[in-house]
Amino acid sequence: MAKHLFSFEPVVCSAISAVIILGAIGCGGGPEPQSPAEAGLKAIYVMYGQYAGQNRGKSPPDVEAFKKFVRSTNAEQLRSLNVNDVESLFISPRDKQPYVIHYNAAVSVPGVGVPAGDSWLAYEETGHGGKKYILLSTGIIEEVDAVRFGEIVQ
């Protein structure tokens, strides 16, 4: 039987992680103004993708495992995501409540789409002014009203 020079799984996971990071960073056109809540959700998206990339495509199983992973991340990388404190990353600056994060979610594969029922990764518990920020599994962050929120989170 032929011996393979490398395993396919790490390559796929690395590619998924790279696409997630590049999508979160964006390209061209200069930076768009972001609220602190959007910046926090963007950092959660990047870290969630890196977790999945380093764990064979599996998302964090719970908040403790996710925080442990974030704490183990290079300090320079965390600074580049404007993360100065791991605990505050998990708290919405608008409603001062922990973000609701979808643990054990199916991670979408670039080019394939979002698995049914797993279209969101995180959202604000209460939000502000009748609207909540929600992080979709595609990396898009939307500020939504109750109707739109109900369409996404069922």
Side-chain angles (χ1 to χ4, degrees), residues 29-137:
E32 293 181 21
Q34 282 188 324
S35 72
E38 289 173 294
L41 286 169
K42 182 177 181 178
I44 287 172
Y45 180 72
V46 170
M47 297 309 303
Y48 200 99
Q50 287 184 357
Y51 183 99
Q54 292 180 24
N55 290 279
R56 297 181 166 184
K58 294 182 180 175
S59 66
D62 55 42
V63 68
E64 292 82 18
F66 196 23
K67 284 182 180 181
K68 181 179 178 182
F69 175 78
V70 174
R71 282 188 195 99
S72 73
T73 301
N74 176 301
E76 185 176 319
Q77 182 181 2
L78 291 175
R79 277 192 302 277
S80 75
L81 294 169
N82 295 317
V83 176
N84 299 316
D85 172 48
V86 172
E87 291 301 318
S88 65
L89 172 64
F90 290 85
I91 306 292
S92 167
R94 295 197 325 165
D95 63 17
K96 310 295 187 228
Q97 296 181 40
Y99 286 109
V100 176
I101 298 176
H102 193 175
Y103 296 105
N104 285 317
V107 179
S108 65
V109 177
V112 175
V114 178
D118 289 333
S119 61
W120 64 274
L121 291 182
Y123 60 82
E124 291 180 300
E125 178 70 33
T126 304
H128 180 72
K131 293 188 174 189
K132 299 178 184 188
Y133 277 114
I134 185 167
L135 168 63
L136 303 177
S137 61

